[in-house]
Amino acid sequence: MTDPGDGPVGRATRRRAPAVPRQRAAEEDSAAPRTGGRAASRSATRAGAMARGRARRGTSRRRARAAGKGRRILRTAAISLSLLLMVTAGAGWWFYEHLNGNLHSVPLTDGTASDSAGKEKADSFGRTPINILVMGSDGRTSASDCKLGGGCSQTGVQSGSGNADVEMVLHISADRSNATVMSIPRDTVTSVPACKNSATGTSTGGYSGMVNSALQYGPACQVATVHQLTGIPIDHFVQLDFSGVVKMSDAVGGVSACVDSNVYDTYSHLKLAKGTHTLKGVAALEFVRSRHGFGDGSDLGRTYAQHIFLSSMIRKFKSAGTLTNPAAVYKLADAATKALTVDTGLGSVKKLIGVATDLDKVPAERITFATMQTAPDPNNSDRVVAAPAARSLFATIADDQSLTGTSGKTSAAATATATASPVPAARIAVTVENGTGIAGRASAVAGALIDHGYNSGTTTGNAPGGAATTTLTYGTGKKAEAQTVARTLGLSSAHLQQGGGGVTLVIGTDWTSGTTFPGGSATSGAPADAKAAKADAHSQTANESKSCAKVSTYKTVSLDGVAMTPSQAYAAATTKKDSAP
């Protein structure tokens, strides 16, 4: 049989019944007359159920209203947050695009020569250093530059790039553990290669002249000239003009610099009392431009003072108060991007931030400033040439060796070829074998080695068979000799193998012409010694906060037609206001 409760009515009855206490229901039944008691009981039950239903519906409505209000609050909050995120993201995107729009970029090379900037060698981990040519132009190419630099009263605003009166090679090691900043004095006479300025169409077939003059044929020509002079691969360049220096120094709130005596350079207009000053705006420009106020009055003294200024700026960049302040960062980024001309490889804010981040990884005590060693130009007493000692400095940078210590120890990023102990080339005899199938390859490379001073016992021959890859094998106790050979030929550590006998070079089909391995960076002889590289380079590290610029003791300036020292000029110029308090 089927229980009546299984039907629809039964289910409804069963839901209501539990809501009525059994004992109460029984009492109501006994109090009622027996006749019609069942109907009265049902009525009472229905009435109670309806009352309870109304109570439940009231509670549900109150809960619904509360839930609705909560949902509206959450929805409002979500919309507000979304709008905030949209506004923030929009501002960030606008800021990013604004900074990108500030940048002006041109190619690194002008296409005149296939390898005018050089190429970096990767270390055994596949990492490469970064070398950036930093140029300060003396061009009066805007009204603001004319006002700051002077000299436009007759010529007016000039066209072209001007001269690169400030030239520094910034080297960041492949492992980002150290950095070197090497200045090249503007008075250096060197060979300028054939160049063409893609922007103006002006060109040169090459000439001998001051290194800074190459910028007249475009930044790419300056890059090619510095690479040719130093052998250092140049990956990027950054160009800054007069107004750029002013904007940058203002953006960081001024740069602290010290002079060891009163100084008044009547040419750059720098006037400072002995001691430490915070240089802002025009005062900063006067300081970095001053060549008559420091040292012997030549460009060498100016480079030393610039290193003090830049060291101070680096310390300020690294200070917590500069890079953690959003307003300061915005001001700095806006000023920097407006002030710079860069190569297309650095032509975005993202790429500039990447380089800045790499440099920020290097501690101040591991950033070394140095000035290229010079000797008097035999043809012009007012000019200089690169001294023989400069070759050690160039090689140290090209081979990614740190200048921080004096031991000559390489950075962790240096290749195996840069870790060799010095072995005189004259003591090394190389067996050169031709595995290319091209006649004369072994003789050409062997001849180049002998020209570099290698032992005349160097021999040539054909390899037992064809070789796709160039290899340099060495026997027991011959590794240092092989590394020296590799440095001379531009071979990386990947080409070195331990074998038997002496030092044997097998030329493969990956090297079918020339005496330097394609893409390699050749240097002569043994690895550069950091101590020798820094000799007479006036080196210092960026953490040296107590360094003061040495004011010239020579009569390098003139006041009212009278030659005098910068300190004498300071004392005489009583009506001239100091550049900074």
Side-chain angles (χ1 to χ4, degrees):
M1 293 182 65
T2 303
D3 191 313
D6 290 343
V9 175
R11 285 197 296 272
T13 303
R14 284 186 177 183
R15 282 197 297 270
R16 289 194 296 270
V20 182
R22 289 184 180 274
Q23 185 176 357
R24 176 71 176 262
E27 290 174 350
E28 290 173 348
D29 286 345
S30 63
R34 188 173 293 275
T35 302
R38 184 176 299 174
S41 176
R42 284 198 298 269
S43 297
T45 300
R46 281 196 298 271
M50 290 175 65
R52 287 191 294 274
R54 285 194 296 270
R56 284 198 295 270
R57 285 194 295 273
T59 301
S60 297
R61 281 195 294 270
R62 287 193 297 273
R63 288 175 178 171
R65 283 196 296 271
K69 184 178 181 182
R71 284 194 295 271
R72 285 195 297 274
I73 292 172
L74 288 175
R75 187 163 55 249
T76 301
I79 293 172
S80 299
L81 180 60
S82 298
L83 288 173
L84 178 61
L85 290 174
M86 289 174 63
V87 170
T88 304
W93 177 252
W94 173 88
F95 177 51
Y96 181 80
E97 288 300 300
H98 170 71
L99 295 180
N100 273 330
N102 287 343
L103 281 171
H104 175 60
S105 61
V106 296
L108 180 69
T109 61
D110 60 12
T112 302
S114 59
D115 193 24
S116 60
K119 295 180 181 178
E120 297 287 1
K121 290 190 300 182
D123 67 7
S124 56
F125 298 98
R127 301 170 300 188
T128 54
I130 303 173
N131 291 314
I132 302 173
L133 177 61
V134 180
M135 298 176 278
S137 169
D138 71 349
R140 277 74 166 173
T141 56
S142 67
S144 60
D145 282 341
C146 279
K147 182 179 179 180
L148 292 167
C152 298
S153 56
Q154 294 181 349
T155 62
V157 176
Q158 303 163 16
S159 59
S161 302
N163 297 308
D165 274 6
V166 175
E167 289 185 76
M168 299 179 183
V169 176
L170 166 61
H171 168 80
I172 307 173
S173 68
D175 65 356
R176 308 307 187 250
S177 70
N178 64 86
T180 298
V181 181
M182 180 189 71
S183 289
I184 301 174
R186 64 154 228 177
D187 295 333
T188 302
V189 174
T190 189
S191 176
V192 176
C195 297
K196 182 177 181 178
N197 189 334
S198 56
T200 64
T202 57
S203 62
T204 175
Y207 61 92
S208 177
M210 287 173 62
V211 66
N212 68 334
S213 66
L215 187 59
Q216 296 176 11
Y217 300 96
C221 189
Q222 194 67 62
V223 166
T225 301
V226 170
H227 172 60
Q228 179 174 277
L229 170 66
T230 65
I232 299 170
I234 304 298
D235 307 300
H236 302 289
F237 75 80
V238 172
Q239 182 179 332
L240 195 68
D241 57 17
F242 290 155
S243 58
V245 175
V246 172
K247 292 174 184 175
M248 291 286 286
S249 61
D250 281 347
V252 297
V255 177
S256 177
C258 172
V259 292
D260 71 347
S261 185
N262 295 340
V263 57
Y264 179 29
D265 180 349
T266 57
Y267 297 95
S268 75
H269 308 296
L270 175 72
K271 187 170 186 275
L272 293 174
K274 177 181 177 179
T276 301
H277 308 270
T278 298
L279 305 178
K280 297 181 180 180
V282 175
L285 178 64
E286 292 171 349
F287 187 90
V288 299
R289 287 189 66 208
S290 177
R291 60 174 293 169
H292 298 88
F294 303 119
D296 61 0
S298 72
D299 200 51
L300 295 175
R302 173 161 61 180
T303 65
Y304 307 155
Q306 288 169 350
H307 294 168
I308 291 173
F309 182 90
L310 290 174
S311 294
S312 179
M313 181 174 278
I314 287 172
R315 291 193 299 272
K316 186 143 193 183
F317 282 160
K318 288 178 173 290
S319 69
T322 300
L323 297 182
T324 58
N325 183 334
V329 170
Y330 170 79
K331 189 175 181 181
L332 177 60
D334 194 43
T337 51
K338 285 178 179 177
L340 301 179
T341 296
V342 300
D343 67 281
T344 49
L346 280 182
S348 74
V349 173
K350 181 178 179 180
K351 292 173 181 177
L352 282 174
I353 290 174
V355 171
T357 301
D358 286 335
L359 183 58
D360 191 51
K361 295 174 183 177
V362 183
E365 64 271 17
R366 298 276 294 168
I367 301 174
T368 305
F369 287 88
T371 298
M372 181 193 84
Q373 298 93 330
T374 61
D377 180 1
N379 301 313
N380 187 338
S381 59
D382 293 330
R383 300 289 179 261
V384 296
V385 293
R391 295 299 157 187
S392 292
L393 181 57
F394 298 159
T396 299
I397 296 173
D399 290 334
D400 195 23
Q401 292 180 249
S402 173
L403 283 178
T404 302
T406 57
S407 64
K409 185 178 180 181
T410 62
S411 70
T415 62
T417 61
T419 61
S421 299
V423 178
R427 288 173 44 189
I428 306 173
V430 185
T431 299
V432 184
E433 297 182 351
N434 185 359
T436 66
I438 301 172
R441 286 297 296 134
S443 296
V445 175
L449 288 172
I450 292 173
D451 288 343
H452 277 95
Y454 282 79
N455 194 288
S456 58
T458 295
T459 60
T460 63
N462 288 322
T469 303
T470 298
T471 57
L472 185 61
T473 59
Y474 56 91
T476 303
K478 298 290 184 179
K479 183 176 181 179
E481 294 184 11
Q483 290 173 327
T484 300
V485 175
R487 287 170 49 81
T488 301
L489 299 176
L491 295 170
S492 71
S493 58
H495 295 274
L496 272 66
Q497 298 177 3
Q498 186 169 7
V503 178
T504 301
L505 172 69
V506 177
I507 306 172
T509 54
D510 56 350
W511 187 11
T512 56
S513 64
T515 57
T516 299
F517 189 77
S521 178
T523 59
S524 60
D529 179 1
K531 187 174 182 179
K534 293 195 297 184
D536 299 322
H538 205 88
S539 64
Q540 68 176 71
T541 52
N543 65 319
E544 296 179 27
S545 59
K546 296 183 179 180
S547 297
C548 290
K550 305 297 183 183
V551 175
S552 178
T553 57
Y554 300 95
K555 293 183 178 181
T556 56
V557 298
S558 176
L559 185 64
D560 297 327
V562 179
M564 56 185 69
T565 69
S567 293
Q568 290 172 337
Y570 181 93
T574 55
T575 59
K576 165 72 175 177
K577 184 179 178 181
D578 281 18
S579 301

